[in-house]
């Protein structure tokens, strides 16, 4: 702009240019900036277009930004899941409980199965932490899970419900056979995934019980309970014990679909 002081009394003309620097009223904190950058980076690695990732991030933030941690329920994520539906073949869904590492190694190696963390939102949010605060536009990445409900657990609750509803045909679940109760009623697998399997959309659930040694763990009482639940849903149940070492061999040799058990 040109200052009013540009015209002195002696008639000479001096032009003074004043630079106006606009400072944003709200600057992102390092936590918010880092979380957004990580979200977009993982989204584009999925891969997805940058513009789509930015839109998903904006919808995702609406679920928790400006809200106290314990105010965020699974319903807060309805919109982002509606806008980001699963795209993998529903009959290739691999559920898991207590077998995070080996289930994901096998799914990645075989390319035959898809875990929740192989979906776009699951991939992006896996191992991240986030929450908001009433009246605050920032994203925080620490101490977000010290209350229940919280934005992180509520997200995975919604994700687990959604993948249970999405699954179809012959579904596979990889469970930890070294646990006293491989099927435990308070796990996400039990509460949200098995509970939302729908017949006749889902015809069968095969439990791949990961064990150190084959000792007849498929006879575990908790798995009998799972069988009874599936019978009530008119879904066929099957259980196969597979040793950790055998699955590791399958991962190493990149066995094709179904060849590992």
């Amino acid at each position: 702009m040109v200052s009013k002081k540009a015209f002195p009394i002696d008639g000479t003309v001096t032009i003074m240019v004043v630079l106006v620097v606009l400072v944003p009223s709200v600057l992102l904190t390092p936590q918010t900036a880092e979380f957004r950058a990580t979200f977009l980076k993982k989204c584009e690695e999925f891969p997805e277009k940058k513009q789509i990732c930015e839109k998903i991030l904006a919808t995702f933030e609406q679920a928790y930004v400006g809200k106290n941690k314990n105010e965020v329920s699974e319903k807060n994520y309805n919109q982002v899941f509606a806008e980001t539906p699963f795209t993998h073949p529903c009959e290739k869904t691999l559920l898991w409980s207590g077998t995070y590492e080996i289930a994901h190694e096998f799914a990645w190696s075989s390319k035959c199965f898809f875990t929740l963390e192989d979906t776009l939102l699951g991939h992006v949010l896996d191992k991240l932490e986030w929450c908001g605060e009433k009246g605050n536009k920032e994203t925080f990445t620490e101490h977000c899970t010290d209350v229940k409900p919280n934005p992180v657990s509520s997200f995975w609750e919604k994700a687990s419900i959604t993948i249970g509803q999405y699954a179809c045909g012959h579904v596979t679940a990889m469970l930890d056979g070294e646990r006293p109760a491989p099927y435990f009623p308070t796990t996400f697998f039990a509460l949200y995934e098995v509970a939302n399997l729908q017949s006749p959309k889902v015809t069968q659930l095969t439990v791949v019980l990961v064990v150190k040694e084959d000792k007849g763990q498929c006879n575990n009482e908790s798995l009998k309970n799972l069988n009874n639940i599936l019978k009530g849903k008119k879904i066929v149940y099957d259980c196969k014990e597979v040793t950790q070492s055998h699955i590791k061999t399958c991962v190493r040799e990149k066995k094709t679909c179904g060849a590992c058990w």
Side-chain angles (χ1 to χ4, degrees):
M1 61 179 289
V2 179
S3 169
K4 292 181 180 178
K5 295 181 180 178
F7 300 96
I9 323 178
D10 61 6
T12 60
V13 177
T14 303
I15 297 178
M16 181 182 297
V17 177
V18 179
L19 296 178
V20 178
V21 180
L22 298 176
V23 181
S25 57
V26 179
L27 295 176
L28 295 179
T29 64
Q31 281 190 71
T32 303
E34 183 179 356
F35 181 84
R36 287 183 174 180
T38 300
F39 187 105
L40 294 173
K41 180 175 181 290
K42 293 179 75 174
C43 181
E44 290 173 42
E45 286 173 352
F46 185 70
E48 190 54 87
K49 293 180 181 178
K50 182 179 180 181
Q51 295 86 344
I52 298 298
C53 291
E54 290 173 345
K55 185 175 184 297
I56 294 171
L57 173 59
T59 304
F60 174 73
E61 288 183 329
Q62 291 174 12
Y64 69 92
V65 170
K67 301 175 178 66
N68 287 329
K69 291 179 283 188
N70 62 352
E71 295 176 338
V72 180
S73 74
E74 55 93 7
K75 292 182 175 61
N76 287 70
Y77 294 101
N78 285 351
Q79 189 61 33
V80 72
F81 275 92
E83 293 181 9
T84 317
F86 298 147
T87 57
H88 68 276
C90 58
E91 72 277 4
K92 299 297 182 182
T93 297
L94 176 63
L95 308 176
W96 61 271
S97 182
T99 55
Y100 177 93
E101 296 294 342
I102 199 164
H104 290 87
E105 282 181 25
F106 182 76
W108 182 86
S109 171
S110 69
K111 308 298 182 187
C112 298
F113 295 97
F114 298 83
T115 69
L116 179 53
E117 291 74 21
D118 294 317
T119 66
L120 194 156
L121 287 175
H123 170 74
V124 171
L125 279 308
D126 189 24
K127 297 183 178 179
L128 295 187
E129 188 170 335
W130 65 92
C131 57
E133 184 179 77
K134 195 79 169 180
N136 195 317
K137 295 184 179 180
E138 299 296 337
T139 291
F140 303 96
T141 56
E142 296 176 342
H143 310 296
C144 293
T145 59
D146 52 6
V147 296
K148 288 284 183 73
N150 62 69
V152 180
S153 64
S154 293
F155 170 82
W156 291 111
E157 178 182 334
K158 176 63 180 179
S160 296
I161 290 170
T162 306
I163 202 166
Q165 294 171 338
Y166 179 79
C168 71
H170 188 166
V171 180
T172 305
M174 194 173 282
L175 307 184
D176 185 358
E178 298 303 313
R179 287 180 168 178
Y183 176 76
F184 200 72
T186 59
T187 61
F188 274 47
F189 172 67
L191 285 173
Y192 308 121
E193 294 173 353
V194 171
N196 282 283
L197 296 179
Q198 301 168 357
S199 173
K201 186 179 179 183
V202 173
T203 56
Q204 179 172 329
L205 175 71
T206 293
V207 169
V208 175
L209 200 60
V210 183
V211 296
K212 290 181 180 178
E213 296 179 25
D214 188 345
K215 294 181 179 179
Q217 289 96 316
C218 273
N219 294 319
N220 187 284
E221 194 65 30
S222 72
L223 294 175
K224 293 178 183 177
N225 294 336
L226 173 58
N227 187 13
N228 289 333
I229 290 170
L230 294 173
K231 277 183 180 177
K233 289 175 169 283
K234 298 182 180 178
I235 296 173
V236 175
Y237 167 82
D238 189 22
C239 179
K240 298 179 183 296
E241 294 179 50
V242 186
T243 62
Q244 294 176 11
S245 59
H246 182 64
I247 295 178
K248 291 286 187 181
T249 299
C250 293
V251 169
R252 188 170 58 253
E253 297 178 357
K254 300 187 184 301
K255 294 275 182 148
T256 57
C257 294
C260 197
W261 49 76

